[in-house]
Amino acid sequence: MPAASGEPADRGRLVVGVDSGGSGLRVAVARADDPEVRPVATRLSDEPVRTGPAGIDATHLLEQLLPAVEELTDAAGGGRVAAVCVGAAGMATLGDDLRARLPGALATAFDVRHLALAADAVTAYAGALGQRPGAVVAAGTGMIAMGTDLTPAGGWRRADGWGHLLGDCGSGAWIGRAGLEAAMRAHDGRPGGSGALLARAQALFGPVTGLPNQLYPRSDRPAVLASFAPEVARCAAERDAVAEGIVGDAARHIADAAAAVCPPGPSAVAFTGGLFGMGEVLLAPLRAAVAERLPEAVRTEAAGSPLDGALAIASALAGGRLVLPSDARLLQITCPVG
């Protein structure tokens, strides 16, 4: 039914944001007529969506998502779901099953008219900067940089995010691996080692000669490596020269990634993710590296999380205000046929 005269067209409509990653699934709803897109209700699950031969498992995601949306719309007082944005780690390379099945499933379940399927780096961008041109580096266990000038011709620019064997330079896994290498050097008596890092490694993992057996067979190797990054940061804060060098190198790698994707001129640059919780031991060299690599950039505090970004994209999509570039892999916009 059309809105009554003088009644906002968005009244009574809801938007849904989804953030799916290695630590679980987060779902939130907001009112479509809220200009600040504040979550009305949120549901968190610590069960990550499975990945199988077809990529991210759409059945497993829907088993969690559909009841969560029902619960949250009830908690919000009811209303039609006007738009959904699903942001998922691995969407660009592992999202074919989601792209094939989510539009129809959400149209059938909730009569969703507008759906965005986004890489988590895109929702991190939207959460940090909204719909402004610029660059965002999202760093935790891994690291990826995304940038856009908002023009169709420019599209999205990506740097790194290639995993702990091929990249993620400057990430938690990268810092942890470099710290453990320095510990092994100290154990062997080779140059470049750190006795402080060796002591931390032994306290955390036991005798370092057992590290290969602890690391190489594990499917969660990046997370194990990243668990040592805080120890590297502590040693750097205590002025261990090797640890300081590792953290300084990480800052330069992060700045390099930001520079690779940032539009020219005074663009906004933001950093988001758990890695930056290390504090000044990382932030101080990062500020220096960004000032050197991007002298015109405007350093901006991230406004929100990837879940906030998913809600923002859904809200903009529902209101016809989305200007972030669409992309078959990174930000696919679809209007399902119900």
Side-chain angles (χ1 to χ4, degrees):
M1 176 182 295
S5 177
E7 181 183 349
D10 283 341
R11 181 160 303 193
R13 300 199 304 165
L14 301 172
V15 294
V16 176
V18 181
D19 178 38
S20 175
S23 59
L25 187 73
R26 292 157 289 278
V27 187
V29 298
R31 302 200 181 281
D33 60 354
D34 181 1
E36 298 183 21
V37 202
R38 292 164 296 193
V40 176
T42 303
R43 179 172 170 177
L44 310 177
S45 167
D46 59 4
E47 181 182 4
V49 175
R50 292 189 294 263
T51 299
I56 302 169
D57 189 333
T59 297
H60 191 215
L61 186 144
L62 288 165
E63 286 172 353
Q64 297 188 64
L65 177 59
L66 297 183
V69 173
E70 288 186 5
E71 175 186 313
L72 293 172
T73 54
D74 287 345
R80 184 175 67 79
V81 178
V84 176
C85 175
V86 178
M91 179 71 79
T93 54
L94 299 171
D96 286 348
D97 196 31
L98 300 185
R99 284 185 280 268
R101 299 181 54 195
L102 259 60
L106 290 170
T108 298
F110 303 110
D111 191 26
V112 172
R113 298 179 182 179
H114 301 288
L115 172 64
L117 299 177
D120 60 339
V122 171
T123 53
Y125 184 102
L129 291 184
Q131 298 199 84
R132 287 184 286 169
V136 171
V137 177
T141 297
M143 192 280 290
I144 188 170
M146 297 292 294
T148 180
D149 60 6
L150 298 186
T151 66
W156 290 100
R157 298 186 65 183
R158 164 186 172 163
D160 215 332
W162 305 123
H164 73 292
L165 293 178
L166 299 177
D168 285 359
C169 299
S171 68
W174 187 94
I175 291 171
R177 187 212 56 77
L180 289 172
E181 180 187 341
M184 302 308 292
R185 287 179 174 274
H187 173 268
D188 295 346
R190 290 178 287 147
S194 163
L197 288 172
L198 175 60
R200 302 272 183 163
Q202 289 172 328
L204 191 62
F205 297 107
V208 293
T209 52
L211 269 174
N213 287 336
Q214 291 191 53
L215 281 173
Y216 295 145
R218 295 185 64 152
S219 60
D220 62 343
R221 191 184 313 122
V224 179
L225 291 170
S227 72
F228 194 61
E231 303 299 327
V232 179
R234 291 186 187 98
C235 288
E238 294 167 3
R239 306 309 300 270
D240 178 81
V242 173
E244 284 184 302
I246 291 170
V247 176
D249 286 345
R252 285 184 285 276
H253 283 308
I254 293 168
D256 286 345
V261 303
C262 190
S267 298
V269 177
F271 300 89
T272 183
L275 185 71
F276 303 107
M278 282 185 174
E280 280 300 300
V281 70
L282 174 63
L283 297 179
L286 180 59
R287 284 193 294 268
V290 170
E292 179 181 348
R293 296 287 282 112
L294 289 166
E296 293 185 280
V298 179
R299 175 74 186 273
T300 305
E301 291 298 318
S305 69
L307 182 58
D308 296 319
L311 277 175
I313 290 172
S315 177
L317 187 57
R321 303 182 305 274
L322 187 65
V323 297
L324 294 175
S326 61
D327 182 278
R329 294 283 172 181
L330 296 172
L331 180 58
Q332 178 178 301
I333 307 301
T334 185
C335 296
V337 178

